[in-house]
Amino acid sequence: MKAFTCLSLAALLSSIAVTSVLAAADSAAVRRSVSLRDDWMYLTRDVAEPAEWTHDGKRFHYRKTVEGGFAFVEIDARTLKRRAPFDPGKLATALNEVTQQSYQPLRLPFETFEYTDENRAINVTVEGQRWTCGIVNYACNKAEPKDRTRPRAFGVVRDLDVPADNSPRTSPDGKWEAFVEDDNVVVRRVGSKEVIALSTDGTPGEFYDPETLAWSPDSSRLVAYRVRPGFRRIVTRIEAAPLRQLQPTVRTQLYPKPGDPVDIEQPVLFHVLERRRLDIDNALFPNLYELSAPQWRRDGRTFAFDYQRRGHGQARVIEVDGQTGAAKAVITEDARTFVFADRRYRHDVGDDAREIVWISERDGWRHLYLADAASGEMKQITRGAWIVRDVLKVDDAKRRIWFSASGMDEGKDPYFKHVFRVDFDGANLTRLTTADATHEVRFAPDMSLYVDTYSRVDMPPVSELRRADGSLVATLERGDISRLTAAGWRPPEPFVAKGRDGVTDIWGLVVRPRDYDPARKYPVIENIYAGPHDSFVPKSFWPFGFHSGGDKVIGMQAQADLGFIVVQIDGMGTANRSKAFHDVAWKNLADSGFPDRILWHKALASRDPSYDIGHVGIYGASAGGQSALNALLFYPHFYRAAVAYAGCYDNRMDKISWNEQWLGWPVDASYAAASGVEHAARLQGRLLLIVGEQDSNVDPASTMQVVDALIKADKDFELLVVPGGEHSVGRSTGPIHYVQRRQFEFFMRALQSVPAANGNSGPT
């Protein structure tokens, strides 16, 4: 018996020793992976970012990769002569003095800049702070804010703790000043102290907002909004470990949530000399979610504003007669599901705005229309099974529009952006970009030239200067990735499979380990973001900047190198395809495109024997965090493990703007249907929740309510709370290596059965 015990003990000790060695080796591999971005960051050359033109259109500049980092290049558009727009060494020194950091000349902490002070200074943004830096004397000072207006939480509730900008608004003829006094609109003659009250009904509970004051062009009339404030919901957070302070700190934030009352704005028209006021009948804009600022037509006959109905089922352009106050709906956009507020577009044509360029999805695709303001007739300018992405320029005199679009080329990636121009009547549709890639185009102010920067995930950027007709002036940059390739980089692989309807193409990317062996089996990890506000699978080359999706792909490669195949997919419910494709998300956020994603996985597995579809994990942040958790709640037969960052797990807990856009108003059962709190008891598989304690985007209480529900349901899970961490914890800011390491090690344990590493033993 003793011999057996000794043999068993020896075997156990041997097993522990082997496990310890394996864990140490895996720990070293993880640390190499989390440093991959740092290792690869500066291996490319001449990888250029989109250009920016000077206001006079004579020059343009851009940032590109060079030996040791990044450099800014400025080019004379006529002569093509190059120069550095500033001395990077002197600018780094100036920034270091005011920020107390140690920035290097080739690693300046900004990607774009704009000239100011007659080109003697530039404005830059560093860590959220704007600075004005002289490029003659090289001194930096905090920049004057672009906007002095009172903040509005998520655009719909004014922060009444911040004073409004009540500086007098001078009439166009220079004779009058208008402002708000004791919550009412008053005017006075310039140079006089005597005020004339135009309203008397303003109170703190229904006040006139000075920031909405708008004079008519002839100075005889004035518009202002009377405001009934919405609900002042405050989210309170405790910062447990403040920097350079022992005791915790309380942080508060104005944070309206779905269903909360929003500011109600009532347009009021004043005839100044007659001291007459007219409340504009709100029958055409009842139950409002948001009104844009009033805008007088240049002929002064009318003013107009945009209206978004609560619940996002209707948008309108309202025009008001400047004499009588009579309102009419010039354009009405109705939707069975939602009108996409962030993608609305309106351009008033000419001084009198008798025509309006408008974007609508009324035929099932996002297209340009020309509306007749008098009759309301809508003439379609563009049409087809493709979408307009952005309007770049409208020329009223030439009656011509420049725009980007995607999905026009059958059989090619429907997300690639190309640039076109078209006449108001739909004639002369002309393509200005031809390369099979996604294009970012920047036009000179006079539209005579443009810089086209195009790339794919497998092709570094090419930057070209072209004339208005599309002809080539010069190739400016051609990215060199030879050193990156020599270091082991391989491009992600696009893969396409049919979605749930058996017809629609679903596009995704595949990232394999750099030592990929097709004879092996690899567990699969999906990087998910299914927010309906955009599409998310990278389409351009990844120059390792936070803005470009590069870190997302690097993170996928770093994870793959630990023995996984990592993928990303745009399922139904995301944007930039047809309206029907997008509408899948409506009141259905639990869906997250999972029926399409699972079919995509299966299609790839059927072609690739190394794709271990029996061991699939998933991770995501924010809305992607909600989706990652929901994968284990609603699709546990397919997904085995999830890492969920900063998720909006119950949409009733999250910001009003994003959630009412996709789930509507009033708050109904669709909110609970997607809730990770309500369905926590359904959890299967292994789960790691990660949240930043100071998340100002998604209320961190959303995570803790999931934690509470999981505990009550007696479920096992892991939780990482990062003190002081913001919404982007583990991605672009904060202790990125630590959080990333925890994710990597979690998946190794959950999907590869690798023993847990001990990060306390130090790097190997």
Side-chain angles (χ1 to χ4, degrees), residues 28-63:
V30 168
R31 292 182 183 279
R32 284 194 298 271
S33 277
V34 297
S35 66
L36 186 62
R37 179 181 185 273
D38 298 333
D39 295 341
W40 283 4
M41 180 77 173
Y42 305 108
L43 294 183
T44 67
R45 300 292 176 269
D46 301 326
V47 169
E49 298 174 14
E52 300 294 336
W53 288 82
T54 55
H55 294 301
D56 60 12
K58 294 180 179 179
R59 303 184 311 280
F60 56 88
H61 59 262
Y62 52 84
R63 191 176 78 150

Side-chain angles (χ1 to χ4, degrees), residues 61 72 86 91 95 98-99 103 108-116 121-135 140-144 146:
H61 59 262
F72 287 89
F86 48 77
L91 185 59
L95 280 171
V98 294
T99 63
Y103 299 120
L108 293 170
F110 56 88
E111 297 164 355
T112 63
F113 69 86
E114 59 186 23
Y115 282 108
T116 186
I122 59 174
N123 286 328
V124 299
T125 300
V126 178
E127 299 292 336
Q129 172 63 54
R130 279 173 48 81
W131 299 92
T132 297
C133 296
I135 55 175
C140 294
N141 297 285
K142 287 186 177 180
E144 291 294 324
K146 282 185 174 181

